[in-house]
Amino acid sequence: MVPLLIVNITSAFNWIGFFFALKYLEPAVVTAIMGGLGPLSTLMLERIVRKHRLPAYAYVVALGVLIGTLMLVLSSILGLAGVRAQSHSITIIGLFAASAAGASQALNTIATKQLGELKWNSTRIMAQRFYLLLLIAAVLAWTGPSFSVSSAGNAGSLLLATVFGVIVPLWILQKGIILSEPFTVAGMLSLAPILTYAFQVFDARIHFSTISGLGCVVIVTATGFNIYMKYRKDLKKDMLSFPPTDSH
């Protein structure tokens, strides 16, 4: 089944690119690039894959998110981000990895939606989306450090991150994709940078970055506009669905 194959391939690209990018870039920049490419990529994929034409405001939202993302990319290239890169080449590698993860996330969302339209539920998708990623991770672990963790404390932290940082959010995300339109999901995922930026305050290794904060604000503003326009559209649709009342 093609959608399931795409979900497996894009899941591998998404997670590997995400963790690789985090090694070299500020977390808010990574989530911004991944979330920022989402709406724009989803616009194109909706037209190509699902033959859906989105409303005009969707293009405004995608442009706004892209502008905010470019601000965060610029902060990394100029060395103004929260994480100071060792060289421009390392920054470019991190940006490329985050971009690959973002583009694959958009395609993953479309393929997940197709599985939902085939009556797959979130649990079934979760159970079958990581075959390729598990294989690649096993090979990397076998040829790299090892499969073990250094201490019981690290094992506990890894377990918590796995359950509450991966399994639960992914299950909820897939449920949202099934119940919503892919562009709406992509827009909501664009809120991730501002949340990440806020949590960075608690990490002493990450410096304060004004331009990163401004980029996050631009992205959130565009996302808020998307939510507002979607609400107006749904409200208008609901009003039109009620027949006029007879006053006589």
Side-chain angles (χ1 to χ4, degrees):
M1 185 182 297
V2 175
L4 181 59
L5 177 62
I6 293 175
V7 165
N8 270 268
I9 294 173
T10 53
S11 292
F13 268 96
N14 184 253
W15 285 97
I16 293 172
F18 173 68
F19 285 117
F20 198 86
L22 279 179
K23 184 177 180 181
Y24 301 113
L25 300 177
E26 178 184 358
V29 173
V30 176
T31 55
I33 293 173
M34 292 179 64
L37 287 177
L40 190 61
S41 301
T42 303
L43 275 175
M44 296 185 294
L45 291 170
E46 280 281 80
R47 292 292 299 273
I48 296 171
V49 179
R50 301 182 71 220
K51 311 299 181 184
H52 283 188
R53 183 184 295 273
L54 295 175
Y57 75 81
Y59 294 87
V60 178
V61 172
L63 179 62
V65 173
L66 183 61
I67 290 173
T69 301
L70 291 176
M71 291 175 64
L72 287 157
V73 170
L74 185 63
S75 72
S76 294
I77 294 176
L78 297 179
L80 300 175
V83 175
R84 306 293 189 254
Q86 299 176 7
S87 68
H88 283 295
S89 59
I90 288 177
T91 299
I92 296 300
I93 291 172
L95 292 173
F96 179 79
S99 299
S104 65
Q105 176 61 49
L107 186 54
N108 185 283
T109 300
I110 297 293
T112 300
K113 182 65 176 179
Q114 289 179 317
L115 289 176
E117 291 170 345
L118 293 173
K119 307 303 180 185
W120 284 47
N121 59 29
S122 299
T123 303
R124 186 180 179 188
I125 296 172
M126 275 286 288
Q128 301 191 51
R129 69 174 292 170
F130 292 118
Y131 294 135
L132 181 59
L133 179 59
L134 287 171
L135 177 61
I136 295 174
V139 171
L140 292 175
W142 182 266
T143 58
S146 70
F147 288 96
S148 62
V149 291
S150 57
S151 67
N154 286 340
S157 299
L158 185 61
L159 179 62
L160 286 174
T162 300
V163 175
F164 297 105
V166 178
I167 297 175
V168 174
L170 266 182
W171 189 91
I172 295 173
L173 173 62
Q174 287 168 163
K175 192 71 173 179
I177 292 172
I178 292 172
L179 297 176
S180 307
E181 285 301 310
F183 185 79
T184 302
V185 175
M188 294 303 295
L189 288 176
S190 298
L191 288 173
I194 194 67
L195 297 175
T196 306
Y197 188 79
F199 282 115
Q200 286 179 182
V201 175
F202 302 102
D203 193 334
R205 298 168 298 176
I206 301 175
H207 306 281
F208 175 78
S209 172
T210 302
I211 189 171
S212 294
L214 289 175
C216 288
V217 170
V218 172
I219 291 172
V220 170
T221 301
T223 304
F225 177 69
N226 177 50
I227 296 171
Y228 170 71
M229 292 302 293
K230 183 72 168 58
Y231 170 76
R232 282 190 57 184
K233 181 182 176 183
D234 291 342
L235 183 63
K236 184 177 180 180
K237 186 186 298 183
D238 291 340
M239 291 177 66
L240 291 175
S241 65
F242 287 103
T245 57
D246 189 354
S247 58
H248 299 290

